[in-house]
Amino acid sequence: GVLFRGALTQISDENLGWNFVNEYNNKVGSLWNENVKKSWNYYTNLTDYNLEVMTNSTLQMAEFDKEAAKNASTFAHDGFGNATLKRLFKKIVNIGFAATNDSEQLKAISNLEADLTGIYSKGKVCLESKGCLQLEPGLTDIITNSRSYEELLAVWKGWRDASGKLMRTKYTDFVKAMNAAIKFSGFNDTGEYWRSWYETPTFEQDVRTLFEELEPLYVELHAYVRKRLKEKYGKDMFPETGHIPAHLFGNMWAQQWSNIYDLLVPFPGASSVDITAKMKEQNYNVTHMYRVAEDFFMSIGMEKMTDAFWQNSMLVKPTDRDVVCHASAWDFYDENDFRIKQCTSVTEDQLLTVHHEMGHIVYYQNYKHLPRLFRRGANPGFHEGMADIVSLSFQTPEHMKVIGLLDEVPQDSDSDINFLLKMALDKVAFLPFGYLIDQWRWSVFRGDTNSSNYNQHWWDLRCRFQGISSPVKRTEEDFDPGAKYHIPGNTPYIRYFVSFVVQFQWHEALCREAGNTRPLHRCDIYNNTNAGNKLREMLRMGSSKPWQDAMEAITGQRTMSAKPLVNYFDPLLKWLKEQNKEENTGWSASCPSSIPTPSALAAGSANLFISITCFVLCVFFA
Ligand SMILES: CC(=O)N[C@@H](CC(=O)O)C(=O)NC[C@H](CC1(C(=O)N[C@@H](Cc2ccc(O)cc2)C(=O)O)CCCC1)C(=O)O
Ligand SMILES: [Zn+2]
C-alpha cells in the first residue's frame, strides 16, 4: 500500500499532497505563534532568561522544520501539476540553517546573534557634557541636531568604539557557523541562500545595473551637498579626493541626509516644511502619530489596526528594562495579533518610521487569509517597498496641508526644488548605502573578505560607492560594519535597495490609477480607494507567486526599473547640474590617504595667525 510505495518510490498523488500541506499549515499556526511571542518577549526585555527561552524555541522550530522537510521529500512534488501545491512543498523543504545535522551550529547562530544584538542595544557612549547615552534617543539626537564638527566626531567615533569594535570576534564565529549550517541546504554560502529568495538567477547583476543607472543622479546630489558642507565646516576639513567626512550628514551611518536639510536649503526664502517643529507646536504625542498613519491607510481602503495591535504593541521606550529599540513590525500568524515595537519620539523622522512599520502591518493584514507559508512579501524588497510607499504621498506639501502640518501649499518652482531636494536627501542619498551593505556581507560570506580585512573592505566600499570617508584613522582593530544594526541583527539589506527602486514604480502606477494630474513628486494617493484596491491586489498575493507576477499586478511590467525614480527627480537633476557647473563632481575610487583632523584645523589657523602677524609686523617696520 501507501507505506511500501512511500518507502521505495515517492508519492505522486496530489490529493495526498494537499492533505500534507494543509496539516502542515494547521500545525505551524500555534508553533509559529509561540515562537514569535518568545522572540517578542526577548526583544522587549533583554534578560538572559528570555534569551534562553527564545533560543530553545528556535531550536525546537528547527527540529520541526527538519522533520517536515524529510516527510515532504517522500512526495514527488517537483512533478506536481498544481503550481501552488508545488510552491508550498518547495517552501517546506527549503529550511535554510535548520537543515544542519549539528544542533551546536544552530545554538551558536542563535546565541551569537543574540549576543551581537545585545551589545548593539545596550551600547552607550559617555560624554563629559551629556553623561552616558545610548544610540536611541541620546546619540541619535546629537547626530541629528549638532552642527559642531568635533562634537559630531566624538559621538560618531564613540558609538563605533561602543558597538562594532566589541563584535569582531563574535561576528567571525557567527559567519562561520552560518556558512557551515547552510551547506546542508545545498547553498555554497549564506549570501547565496539570501539571494535565493528573489528567485532571479541574474539578481546580483540586476541590482548592479540598477545602481549604475542611478549613480549619475547620486553624483550630482553628492557634489551639491559637498559644496554646501564645505561652506559650513570649512574646506580644510575635506580630503582632496572629493570624499565627504562620514559624520556630517545628520545620520549615524550617512545613509539618509534629510536631517541636515537646514544646511542645504536651495531657496531659503521659499517655503520648506519643518515637520518636527510643526508636530511639537501642535502637541503631537506618540499615540496621535500612530492614529495619523492608521488614518492614511484606512483612507485608501485598508483595514484599521486590530485591538490586539493597540493592546500588545510597545510604542515607547520602557524605562525599567533593556529593549531592542530598533523599530520593527511583527506578525504573530494568528490573523489578529500584529504589533509594532518602536521607541517612538515626536519627530518627523519618527513619524515616517511609524508609517513604515504600519505599512508592514498592512501587508500582514492583507495576506492573513493565505496558507502561512505564503504570508511573506513577494520578495523581501516588496515588503520594504510596501512599508515606504505611502510616505511618498504623506510627505508632499499637499498632504502636509491636508493634515494641518502646513498652512499653504506653495506652487512656485523654488519651493518645488526645496521639496524635491528634501526627498532626494532620503531617497537618492540612500541608494549607494542600500546597495553596499550586502556587497560587503556577500563578500564576507563568500570568503573574499575575512577578519583580516573586514574594515578595509568596508571603507573601500563606502569610499567607492558613497563618496564618503572616515573622519578618523581606521584599522582592523575597528569593526565599523557592526555599528549598523543589520549586521549584528543579521537582517539582509539589499531588500532596502530593491524597495527604493520598486516603490517609485508603484507610486507612478498607483498615481496613474488614482487619476493624478500633478507631477509625480506632488501626487498624494490619500483618500483614493482605486489606488488602494490596486495595491491590495498585489498585497493579497503574499509570496504565493513569483514577485514578477506581483509587480505585474501593480505596474503591468514584470521587471524592476530605475526609470520612475529618475523621472520623479528629473526637475531636481536639472537644477543640481546647474548648481554644479563649477564643481568637480565625483570622487576618487579609493579612500583618501591622509585625514584632515580638528588638530590640523587648529594647526592650520595657528599658522594662519602667525603668518598674518608677521605680515603686519614686516609691513609696519618696513
Ligand atoms: C520582525 C521583523 O524584523 N520585522 C521586519 C518587517 C518584516 O520583514 O516583516 C521589521 O520590522 N524590520 C525592522 C526594520 C526597521 C527599520 C530599518 O531597519 N530600516 C533600514 C533602512 C531604511 C531606512 C529608511 C527607510 O525609509 C526605509 C528603510 C535602516 O534603518 O537602515 C528602522 C526604520 C525604518 C525601518 C524595517 O521595518 O524594515
Ligand atoms: Zn521595513
Side-chain angles (χ1 to χ4, degrees):
V2 170
L3 193 64
F4 178 73
R5 193 168 57 238
L8 284 183
T9 58
Q10 287 179 313
I11 303 169
S12 55
D13 179 337
E14 294 194 27
N15 292 324
L16 293 178
W18 280 112
N19 294 346
F20 179 80
V21 296
N22 291 336
E23 192 190 333
Y24 177 94
N25 187 51
N26 294 335
K27 268 192 224 162
V28 294
S30 53
L31 192 76
W32 289 7
N33 180 264
E34 281 311 306
N35 180 259
V36 176
K37 274 182 181 151
K38 286 164 182 165
S39 295
W40 172 270
N41 289 343
Y42 175 63
Y43 277 71
T44 56
N45 188 0
L46 295 172
T47 63
D48 293 342
Y49 173 73
N50 288 341
L51 169 58
E52 195 186 337
V53 169
M54 178 182 74
T55 302
N56 290 340
S57 174
T58 304
L59 294 176
Q60 272 170 356
M61 284 264 294
E63 287 314 306
F64 172 86
D65 288 348
K66 259 176 28 170
E67 183 65 18
K70 189 163 67 65
N71 295 339
S73 57
T74 64
F75 289 83
H77 54 84
D78 277 341
F80 281 170
N82 181 295
T84 299
L85 182 61
K86 210 165 152 180
R87 194 169 175 82
L88 285 167
F89 267 89
K90 206 175 83 178
K91 288 180 182 294
I92 292 172
V93 300
N94 198 353
I95 57 175
F97 301 126
T100 180
N101 64 11
D102 175 355
S103 64
E104 286 312 304
Q105 280 165 4
L106 280 181
K107 217 173 278 180
I109 291 168
S110 184
N111 285 330
L112 284 164
E113 179 173 329
D115 288 354
L116 290 162
T117 307
I119 293 171
Y120 188 93
S121 301
K122 295 174 188 168
K124 57 179 183 293
V125 176
C126 300
L127 302 163
E128 65 284 354
S129 55
K130 297 202 166 97
C132 299
L133 302 172
Q134 290 194 320
L135 178 64
E136 292 188 46
L139 301 177
T140 301
D141 286 347
I142 297 174
I143 285 280
T144 299
N145 299 308
S146 169
R147 297 292 179 260
S148 148
Y149 187 97
E150 283 73 19
E151 184 178 41
L152 288 166
L153 182 51
V155 167
W156 186 91
K157 184 182 185 311
W159 172 246
R160 279 153 182 79
D161 291 344
S163 58
K165 192 162 191 169
L166 310 177
M167 298 180 191
R168 173 178 273 271
T169 312
K170 285 183 189 290
Y171 192 75
T172 306
D173 298 343
F174 191 37
V175 169
K176 208 159 67 189
M178 285 193 284
N179 274 346
I182 206 64
K183 286 201 170 36
F184 289 89
S185 269
F187 293 102
N188 291 322
D189 65 59
T190 305
E192 192 185 284
Y193 168 54
W194 285 3
R195 292 189 298 276
S196 70
W197 300 332
Y198 292 86
E199 297 178 282
T200 313
T202 57
F203 180 67
E204 240 184 299
Q205 186 47 53
D206 293 350
V207 291
R208 178 169 280 268
T209 304
L210 287 166
F211 176 73
E212 284 162 0
E213 287 168 18
L214 294 163
E215 195 166 25
L217 172 57
Y218 177 78
V219 166
E220 295 298 334
L221 178 68
H222 175 280
Y224 171 73
V225 170
R226 181 179 59 197
K227 180 177 75 172
R228 299 302 300 270
L229 288 178
K230 281 182 174 177
E231 290 163 7
K232 166 70 186 168
Y233 291 107
K235 59 185 188 332
D236 298 10
M237 301 319 293
F238 290 69
E240 298 299 316
T241 49
H243 295 91
I244 303 174
H247 65 307
L248 302 177
F249 291 94
N251 176 281
M252 184 60 91
W253 308 278
Q255 71 182 67
Q256 290 177 293
W257 306 348
S258 56
N259 287 332
I260 57 167
Y261 174 71
D262 57 297
L263 299 178
L264 309 170
V265 185
F267 300 98
S271 101
S272 58
V273 198
D274 177 352
I275 297 176
T276 302
K278 283 281 186 184
M279 287 167 70
K280 296 209 167 75
E281 224 175 272
Q282 297 181 15
N283 297 321
Y284 263 60
N285 62 29
V286 166
T287 306
H288 184 62
M289 291 164 71
Y290 286 83
R291 287 293 179 196
V292 164
E294 180 185 41
D295 168 62
F296 194 111
F297 287 106
M298 289 174 70
S299 84
I300 62 174
M302 301 301 178
E303 292 170 48
K304 66 180 176 44
M305 292 296 113
T306 60
D307 294 344
F309 170 83
W310 297 106
Q311 280 150 21
N312 302 332
S313 290
M314 184 201 93
L315 304 182
V316 290
K317 180 173 189 171
T319 52
D320 59 348
R321 57 186 193 274
D322 275 325
V323 300
V324 174
C325 261
H326 194 80
S328 55
W330 298 61
D331 184 354
F332 286 74
Y333 293 103
D334 66 358
E335 304 86 53
N336 173 54
D337 193 353
F338 306 105
R339 304 181 196 178
I340 289 176
K341 173 187 64 57
Q342 183 171 338
C343 301
T344 316
S345 53
V346 180
T347 69
E348 172 185 8
D349 240 6
Q350 286 277 299
L351 183 55
L352 294 176
T353 300
V354 166
H355 281 81
H356 180 99
E357 299 313 329
M358 201 172 279
H360 284 304
I361 303 280
V362 171
Y363 211 153
Y364 304 152
Q365 289 176 304
N366 275 287
Y367 56 50
K368 68 178 191 282
H369 64 287
L370 291 175
R372 287 180 180 84
L373 284 163
F374 287 154
R375 295 187 198 174
R376 285 311 295 152
N379 71 41
F382 272 49
H383 227 295
E384 297 311 330
M386 168 56 197
D388 263 0
I389 182 81
V390 296
S391 75
L392 294 176
S393 290
F394 178 78
Q395 292 181 94
T396 59
E398 282 76 7
H399 192 76
M400 286 298 107
K401 182 165 186 316
V402 164
I403 63 169
L405 287 176
L406 179 68
D407 306 329
E408 273 318 305
V409 177
Q411 294 305 344
D412 60 296
S413 65
D414 291 0
S415 304
D416 213 33
I417 292 298
N418 279 357
F419 171 69
L420 271 169
L421 181 84
K422 188 129 182 298
M423 290 303 289
L425 293 176
D426 270 355
K427 299 295 182 180
V428 177
F430 181 81
L431 295 170
F433 185 80
Y435 178 70
L436 73 83
I437 299 277
D438 279 350
Q439 296 304 318
W440 181 83
R441 226 172 350 192
W442 292 343
S443 84
V444 168
F445 289 138
R446 278 193 185 107
D448 298 343
T449 298
N450 57 45
S451 61
S452 69
N453 64 333
Y454 278 155
N455 230 37
Q456 177 64 47
H457 187 52
W458 172 258
W459 281 104
D460 288 347
L461 293 169
R462 293 267 268 175
C463 291
R464 154 75 186 83
F465 289 111
Q466 277 189 282
I468 67 171
S469 56
S470 174
V472 287
K473 185 164 171 35
R474 306 315 280 160
T475 71
E476 290 306 328
E477 294 292 304
D478 302 304
F479 182 58
D480 294 331
K484 176 63 193 171
Y485 175 79
H486 298 69
I487 301 294
N490 210 38
T491 310
Y493 209 84
I494 198 69
R495 61 183 60 182
Y496 296 111
F497 178 78
V498 169
S499 152
F500 276 50
V501 170
V502 302
Q503 67 186 251
F504 285 92
Q505 290 179 257
W506 300 347
H507 189 56
E508 188 180 71
L510 295 182
C511 290
R512 188 170 45 246
E513 187 71 20
N516 169 62
T517 55
R518 298 179 195 140
L520 184 58
H521 64 276
R522 303 299 286 259
C523 162
D524 175 12
I525 62 170
Y526 184 68
N527 268 336
N528 193 291
T529 48
N530 290 342
N533 293 339
K534 191 92 187 141
L535 183 57
R536 187 190 355 273
E537 260 179 69
M538 184 275 282
L539 300 176
R540 284 180 61 81
M541 294 166 70
S543 62
S544 64
K545 299 268 180 49
W547 66 263
Q548 292 87 345
D549 294 0
M551 176 69 90
E552 192 169 25
I554 293 192
T555 67
Q557 310 293 321
R558 295 181 60 81
T559 58
M560 293 185 282
S561 166
K563 288 195 180 19
L565 191 157
V566 172
N567 294 344
Y568 178 102
F569 286 105
D570 190 50
L572 180 70
L573 181 58
K574 291 184 171 61
W575 184 80
L576 286 170
K577 284 185 168 164
E578 184 58 31
Q579 291 300 309
N580 295 332
K581 263 190 325 215
E582 314 296 313
E583 294 295 310
N584 294 328
T585 58
W587 51 87
S588 66
S590 51
C591 294
S593 47
S594 69
I595 296 176
T597 55
S599 52
L601 178 69
S605 50
N607 296 336
L608 195 65
F609 176 73
I610 291 165
S611 53
I612 287 172
T613 313
C614 291
F615 178 73
V616 167
L617 292 174
C618 301
V619 167
F620 181 72
F621 283 109

